[in-house]
Amino acid sequence: MKVMLIKDVYKLGRAGEVKRVADGYGRNYLLPQGLAVLATPGALKQSERIKVQATVQRDALNEEMSVVAEQLTGVVLTFSAKASETGKLYGSVTTQMIADSLSEKTGVEINKRHIDSQPLRAVGEHQVQVRLTVDLVPEVKVIIYGEGEEQPIFEIEPDLDAEAEVEDQEVPEEEQPETADEELTQEAEQEAEEEAKEEAEEEAEEEAKEEAEEEAEEEAEEETKEETEVE
């Protein structure tokens, strides 16, 4: 189906844009959540007005969250975890663990839904994005090493430097924009939207697979029937 976005949707588009999405994704999430409307001729007439309003709101939010983005950029987090000889973890470093570590290190409250990553399941360095707004997505480094192993020195130094830089830039919590929590809530909804989109696409693929299998079975039955009639 074709929809027109009336709000920015992470990894999909910006308010006022027309997008083609899976029917289930549109009906079950975008439309009921008030993120989009059907791309009817009447709705399309409002696209320019929606784009202008969204740009003003987006710029204001980006300005308010820019201090937080600076605090998070370049931060290095380290985790020790049980791992096999091949480096695969017995478990994972979850988005909740990353969010908690970021909050503790920077003093900025981070919700796990803002962490744009799957659970990390291997030792090594991982680049993880933190979604503050559609435009502000600072990247942090997550280093995982095996439990009982010494953390390499080259990994420790950047961590200390990043921590010192964050302390220099840290803004007292009470001075952070009052609308930050509101923006983070919106971003959390967008994370749920992304998950719903993936589920809808998986369901569509599964349905298509089942339909293909049914068609193949029907064709096989017809061929068998024709062969029987010929004999």
Side-chain angles (χ1 to χ4, degrees), residues 50-67:
I50 291 174
K51 287 180 180 179
V52 171
Q53 293 178 344
T55 297
V56 174
Q57 296 174 353
R58 188 184 306 119
D59 290 345
L61 288 170
N62 286 339
E63 183 176 356
E64 292 173 351
M65 297 300 292
S66 61
V67 173

mmCIF file of all heavy atoms in Angstrom, residues 50-67:
data_model
loop_
_atom_site.group_PDB
_atom_site.id
_atom_site.type_symbol
_atom_site.label_atom_id
_atom_site.label_comp_id
_atom_site.label_asym_id
_atom_site.label_seq_id
_atom_site.Cartn_x
_atom_site.Cartn_y
_atom_site.Cartn_z
ATOM 1 N N ILE A 50 2.760 19.762 5.545
ATOM 2 C CA ILE A 50 3.282 18.837 6.547
ATOM 3 C C ILE A 50 4.809 18.868 6.557
ATOM 4 O O ILE A 50 5.436 18.855 7.623
ATOM 5 C CB ILE A 50 2.773 17.410 6.268
ATOM 6 C CG1 ILE A 50 1.266 17.339 6.528
ATOM 7 C CG2 ILE A 50 3.501 16.391 7.141
ATOM 8 C CD1 ILE A 50 0.630 16.020 6.141
ATOM 9 N N LYS A 51 5.427 18.933 5.372
ATOM 10 C CA LYS A 51 6.891 18.981 5.295
ATOM 11 C C LYS A 51 7.446 20.222 5.975
ATOM 12 O O LYS A 51 8.439 20.155 6.704
ATOM 13 C CB LYS A 51 7.329 18.956 3.832
ATOM 14 C CG LYS A 51 7.172 17.615 3.140
ATOM 15 C CD LYS A 51 7.633 17.689 1.693
ATOM 16 C CE LYS A 51 7.466 16.339 0.991
ATOM 17 N NZ LYS A 51 7.889 16.416 -0.425
ATOM 18 N N VAL A 52 6.796 21.372 5.753
ATOM 19 C CA VAL A 52 7.267 22.622 6.345
ATOM 20 C C VAL A 52 7.171 22.567 7.865
ATOM 21 O O VAL A 52 8.112 22.916 8.588
ATOM 22 C CB VAL A 52 6.462 23.818 5.800
ATOM 23 C CG1 VAL A 52 6.809 25.095 6.576
ATOM 24 C CG2 VAL A 52 6.744 24.013 4.317
ATOM 25 N N GLN A 53 6.031 22.133 8.387
ATOM 26 C CA GLN A 53 5.842 22.045 9.833
ATOM 27 C C GLN A 53 6.823 21.063 10.456
ATOM 28 O O GLN A 53 7.404 21.325 11.520
ATOM 29 C CB GLN A 53 4.399 21.624 10.148
ATOM 30 C CG GLN A 53 3.360 22.668 9.776
ATOM 31 C CD GLN A 53 1.942 22.191 10.059
ATOM 32 O OE1 GLN A 53 1.705 20.993 10.256
ATOM 33 N NE2 GLN A 53 0.996 23.117 10.074
ATOM 34 N N ALA A 54 7.026 19.931 9.794
ATOM 35 C CA ALA A 54 7.931 18.904 10.331
ATOM 36 C C ALA A 54 9.376 19.403 10.358
ATOM 37 O O ALA A 54 10.129 19.095 11.285
ATOM 38 C CB ALA A 54 7.832 17.622 9.500
ATOM 39 N N THR A 55 9.756 20.175 9.359
ATOM 40 C CA THR A 55 11.125 20.702 9.305
ATOM 41 C C THR A 55 11.391 21.628 10.484
ATOM 42 O O THR A 55 12.459 21.566 11.111
ATOM 43 C CB THR A 55 11.360 21.461 7.988
ATOM 44 O OG1 THR A 55 11.218 20.554 6.895
ATOM 45 C CG2 THR A 55 12.755 22.065 7.954
ATOM 46 N N VAL A 56 10.432 22.478 10.812
ATOM 47 C CA VAL A 56 10.579 23.394 11.943
ATOM 48 C C VAL A 56 10.729 22.613 13.242
ATOM 49 O O VAL A 56 11.621 22.878 14.060
ATOM 50 C CB VAL A 56 9.371 24.344 12.030
ATOM 51 C CG1 VAL A 56 9.450 25.192 13.304
ATOM 52 C CG2 VAL A 56 9.316 25.250 10.810
ATOM 53 N N GLN A 57 9.869 21.619 13.455
ATOM 54 C CA GLN A 57 9.922 20.812 14.681
ATOM 55 C C GLN A 57 11.210 19.998 14.748
ATOM 56 O O GLN A 57 11.830 19.877 15.805
ATOM 57 C CB GLN A 57 8.709 19.879 14.741
ATOM 58 C CG GLN A 57 7.382 20.612 14.842
ATOM 59 C CD GLN A 57 6.197 19.668 14.757
ATOM 60 O OE1 GLN A 57 6.349 18.481 14.488
ATOM 61 N NE2 GLN A 57 5.006 20.199 14.972
ATOM 62 N N ARG A 58 11.625 19.456 13.606
ATOM 63 C CA ARG A 58 12.827 18.623 13.557
ATOM 64 C C ARG A 58 14.073 19.442 13.905
ATOM 65 O O ARG A 58 14.929 18.991 14.671
ATOM 66 C CB ARG A 58 12.964 18.011 12.167
ATOM 67 C CG ARG A 58 14.063 16.966 12.048
ATOM 68 C CD ARG A 58 14.196 16.486 10.610
ATOM 69 N NE ARG A 58 12.936 16.008 10.083
ATOM 70 C CZ ARG A 58 12.332 16.552 9.029
ATOM 71 N NH1 ARG A 58 12.867 17.585 8.399
ATOM 72 N NH2 ARG A 58 11.190 16.054 8.597
ATOM 73 N N ASP A 59 14.153 20.637 13.354
ATOM 74 C CA ASP A 59 15.309 21.499 13.625
ATOM 75 C C ASP A 59 15.393 21.858 15.109
ATOM 76 O O ASP A 59 16.482 21.893 15.687
ATOM 77 C CB ASP A 59 15.225 22.774 12.786
ATOM 78 C CG ASP A 59 15.450 22.499 11.304
ATOM 79 O OD1 ASP A 59 15.950 21.407 10.974
ATOM 80 O OD2 ASP A 59 15.124 23.389 10.485
ATOM 81 N N ALA A 60 14.227 22.130 15.723
ATOM 82 C CA ALA A 60 14.213 22.490 17.144
ATOM 83 C C ALA A 60 14.674 21.316 18.006
ATOM 84 O O ALA A 60 15.472 21.481 18.938
ATOM 85 C CB ALA A 60 12.812 22.935 17.556
ATOM 86 N N LEU A 61 14.193 20.124 17.683
ATOM 87 C CA LEU A 61 14.568 18.936 18.458
ATOM 88 C C LEU A 61 16.045 18.609 18.283
ATOM 89 O O LEU A 61 16.732 18.243 19.244
ATOM 90 C CB LEU A 61 13.712 17.750 18.033
ATOM 91 C CG LEU A 61 12.242 17.790 18.479
ATOM 92 C CD1 LEU A 61 11.453 16.685 17.802
ATOM 93 C CD2 LEU A 61 12.129 17.691 19.987
ATOM 94 N N ASN A 62 16.541 18.745 17.061
ATOM 95 C CA ASN A 62 17.952 18.474 16.814
ATOM 96 C C ASN A 62 18.845 19.424 17.603
ATOM 97 O O ASN A 62 19.886 19.027 18.136
ATOM 98 C CB ASN A 62 18.267 18.595 15.317
ATOM 99 C CG ASN A 62 17.731 17.422 14.515
ATOM 100 O OD1 ASN A 62 17.476 16.347 15.060
ATOM 101 N ND2 ASN A 62 17.554 17.622 13.227
ATOM 102 N N GLU A 63 18.438 20.675 17.694
ATOM 103 C CA GLU A 63 19.225 21.651 18.447
ATOM 104 C C GLU A 63 19.233 21.299 19.933
ATOM 105 O O GLU A 63 20.270 21.387 20.598
ATOM 106 C CB GLU A 63 18.641 23.047 18.245
ATOM 107 C CG GLU A 63 19.442 24.145 18.937
ATOM 108 C CD GLU A 63 18.905 25.523 18.647
ATOM 109 O OE1 GLU A 63 17.954 25.649 17.854
ATOM 110 O OE2 GLU A 63 19.429 26.496 19.235
ATOM 111 N N GLU A 64 18.080 20.884 20.442
ATOM 112 C CA GLU A 64 17.985 20.547 21.864
ATOM 113 C C GLU A 64 18.783 19.295 22.217
ATOM 114 O O GLU A 64 19.357 19.193 23.296
ATOM 115 C CB GLU A 64 16.516 20.348 22.244
ATOM 116 C CG GLU A 64 15.703 21.630 22.180
ATOM 117 C CD GLU A 64 14.227 21.379 22.385
ATOM 118 O OE1 GLU A 64 13.813 20.199 22.415
ATOM 119 O OE2 GLU A 64 13.477 22.352 22.520
ATOM 120 N N MET A 65 18.828 18.334 21.305
ATOM 121 C CA MET A 65 19.497 17.069 21.583
ATOM 122 C C MET A 65 20.960 17.051 21.164
ATOM 123 O O MET A 65 21.655 16.061 21.372
ATOM 124 C CB MET A 65 18.752 15.924 20.878
ATOM 125 C CG MET A 65 17.319 15.722 21.353
ATOM 126 S SD MET A 65 17.233 15.354 23.111
ATOM 127 C CE MET A 65 17.984 13.732 23.152
ATOM 128 N N SER A 66 21.439 18.126 20.567
ATOM 129 C CA SER A 66 22.815 18.150 20.071
ATOM 130 C C SER A 66 23.840 17.999 21.200
ATOM 131 O O SER A 66 24.898 17.370 21.004
ATOM 132 C CB SER A 66 23.076 19.447 19.298
ATOM 133 O OG SER A 66 22.908 20.580 20.136
ATOM 134 N N VAL A 67 23.544 18.559 22.378
ATOM 135 C CA VAL A 67 24.470 18.434 23.512
ATOM 136 C C VAL A 67 24.595 16.968 23.929
ATOM 137 O O VAL A 67 25.693 16.472 24.198
ATOM 138 C CB VAL A 67 23.997 19.283 24.705
ATOM 139 C CG1 VAL A 67 24.862 19.015 25.931
ATOM 140 C CG2 VAL A 67 24.041 20.765 24.348
#
